[in-house]
Amino acid sequence: MSASSSQVDLSHHLSSETRLRQANPMKAIWRLARRKADMISLANGDPHFSLYPIRKVEFEVASISDDIDDPVASWRIGGSSAPSQTFASTTNSSPAKLPLRTALQYSAGAGLPDAQRAVTELTDHYHSPPDHVATLTLGNGDGVAKIFRLLGEPGDHFLADEFSFSSLTNAPLSHGIKWVPVRIDGGGLIPEELESILENWDEQSQGKRPHVLYTVPCGQNPTGSTLSLERRQRIYELAQRFDLIIVEDDPYYYLQYDRLDLDDAMSDKLFQLIPSFLSMDVDGRVMRVDSFSKIMAPGMRLGWITSNPLFHEALVHLTDSSTHHPHAFGQIFITEMLSSPTGWQIAGFDKWVRSLRLEYQRRRDVFMRAFLRDVASTGFASAEFPEAGMFVWIQVDVERHPRFRRIPSIQDPAAAAVVRADAENVNDLCAPSPSTVARTNVTQLMEELFERCLDGGLVVMPASIFVTPADDKVRDVQDPVEDRLNFLRATFAGPEETMEAGLRILAKVLKEFFSSEAK
């Protein structure tokens, strides 16, 4: 489809709540007040800037000067003596791109115009989307939760990776929105699985067909998987065919890594970031969520949504009547950093994130070397090299455990209870039956392994906490996710000594666990 977003009407995706929401009239007048530079206002309730007890805000950041090839390494190793540069904002007239007298006033839900312009130019640099608008948010969590409210009706089904970050998949449940998990593998969401769900959807028994897909395409949390360009193109084609809105939550976009050779010297000369869904969006059906949390600092709580103008306006109305605009100090920082002559500007930002990705790639390789040496060598666990993000999805070969069992599960719960009550032991449940579905005791074994890790002094995240909650009408009874919980999520974002020590503990715990005949 070659139509621009202005030629595709996507208004039918908006929820009833969104359609009923009115624009905040005071914010509407605030926007009118900026029609002319010399407007006199007796309407606002802002304290005058001369009464702000703040005269200057100065930021000291890592230097990205031409004589520094690797600014992240220089900053990390140099400590307090590392080269730096500063930019500032003051209440008075100054060379600041966004002076305090403007930044610390109330603004509208899209964010301060200068900050909105800064992230728009950043998005254009990396994605070049046609006819899209940026809306500032309080980080990815805030942005995604608002999108769910924007698009979801009670009773709607949304699509998501079968393992997802639970705080975000929990967000729409209280609004009556239900999830349809889509199978993923080492390469992320499987397009054929998505197509099968949509093609075979029965509206009479399952309700309205899903119209929203939520996905993390790079360094997916928790699995660390990254969608290839081919899969992205196929998924976007399915979105057009089945009229889906794609919520592209992409906090790890800048943390993409070279493929898997521990002996290769790391280089950034030929590395190319994978094109985003936003970059291929010709319909306006992609809502991209970005954040500074993983590339600056998690406590910044500042991000932005890039969407078509219709959805942008609805997001502004929601923000103006809920959280209101993001905090001024974060907006000052990104504006001065990206746009000020004394800041990094986009070229400097690009230099920083490319250096940052090499540092995280180095940490990934440190983790994987230790994993292969200490953990994989036990024969009880394996892991693929993540191509983005901060996480390694460790697969435990639980079928090798001496207490692993396959337990047939009768589809009729009452019949299943009778069969289990009559069975003398778990082995009696292994006889094949045409009315049963293959099940295992993976859940119980992985719970035990998690507890053993804690007892050993190691905290890892079990797969069970990332399962996308599924409505009974869409649950896969032939291959239930409960039988595929034999994974642990570990991070390589921390210090090297932490990784080394943690993986040694994991190896020890696995050996003891797999040698255990009885709990």
Side-chain angles (χ1 to χ4, degrees), residues 373-426:
R373 181 189 66 232
D374 296 331
V375 180
S377 62
T378 67
F380 301 131
S382 59
E384 297 186 19
F385 278 64
E387 296 178 25
M390 297 178 169
F391 303 111
V392 177
W393 195 231
I394 300 173
Q395 181 173 1
V396 179
D397 191 2
V398 73
E399 293 188 13
R400 295 188 56 188
H401 196 279
R403 286 185 277 114
F404 172 79
R405 297 291 184 269
R406 295 190 183 279
I407 307 172
S409 173
I410 308 298
Q411 292 189 30
D412 180 354
V418 172
V419 171
R420 284 181 167 79
D422 289 343
E424 292 183 2
N425 57 59
V426 71

Side-chain angles (χ1 to χ4, degrees), residues 224-414:
S225 61
T226 296
L227 290 170
S228 65
L229 176 59
E230 292 73 22
R231 284 199 181 189
R232 294 172 194 235
Q233 291 171 333
R234 179 65 180 135
I235 290 168
Y236 188 80
E237 290 169 0
L238 292 171
Q240 290 183 306
R241 175 179 162 193
F242 292 100
D243 190 23
L244 295 177
I245 300 298
I246 297 176
V247 181
E248 181 179 30
D249 185 6
D250 211 0
Y252 306 106
Y253 173 77
Y254 300 103
L255 303 181
Q256 298 181 39
Y257 313 125
D258 293 322
R259 291 177 178 266
L260 323 179
D261 190 344
L262 289 172
D263 296 323
D264 278 356
M266 291 183 293
S267 172
D268 203 45
K269 299 300 182 185
L270 301 175
F271 184 80
Q272 295 293 324
L273 297 169
I274 299 176
S276 64
F277 282 115
L278 182 66
S279 67
M280 57 185 72
D281 185 22
V282 294
D283 295 346
R285 63 177 65 256
V286 173
M287 300 187 75
R288 179 178 172 83
V289 188
D290 278 288
S291 172
F292 290 103
S293 294
K294 308 303 181 185
I295 51 178
M296 292 295 162
M300 277 190 65
R301 307 311 307 160
L302 190 68
W304 69 103
I305 298 169
T306 307
S307 68
N308 68 50
L310 172 70
F311 291 172
H312 164 75
E313 181 180 11
L315 283 168
V316 170
H317 293 338
L318 170 56
T319 301
D320 280 341
S321 296
S322 58
T323 61
H324 297 276
H325 56 83
H327 51 96
F329 295 108
Q331 295 191 68
I332 292 169
F333 177 77
I334 63 169
T335 303
E336 299 299 328
M337 179 186 68
L338 294 173
S339 304
S340 171
T342 58
W344 282 354
Q345 302 186 342
I346 290 177
F349 173 87
D350 187 72
K351 184 175 182 179
W352 172 260
V353 294
R354 288 182 177 274
S355 177
L356 188 64
R357 84 160 191 92
L358 290 179
E359 170 61 21
Y360 275 110
Q361 180 174 310
R362 186 188 66 80
R363 293 180 185 225
R364 177 203 68 175
D365 293 349
V366 168
F367 183 102
M368 291 306 298
R369 284 192 183 94
F371 179 86
L372 293 172
R373 181 189 66 232
D374 296 331
V375 180
S377 62
T378 67
F380 301 131
S382 59
E384 297 186 19
F385 278 64
E387 296 178 25
M390 297 178 169
F391 303 111
V392 177
W393 195 231
I394 300 173
Q395 181 173 1
V396 179
D397 191 2
V398 73
E399 293 188 13
R400 295 188 56 188
H401 196 279
R403 286 185 277 114
F404 172 79
R405 297 291 184 269
R406 295 190 183 279
I407 307 172
S409 173
I410 308 298
Q411 292 189 30
D412 180 354

Side-chain angles (χ1 to χ4, degrees), residues 176-188:
I177 297 167
K178 304 173 184 179
W179 287 107
V180 182
V182 185
R183 285 288 294 271
I184 60 178
D185 60 15

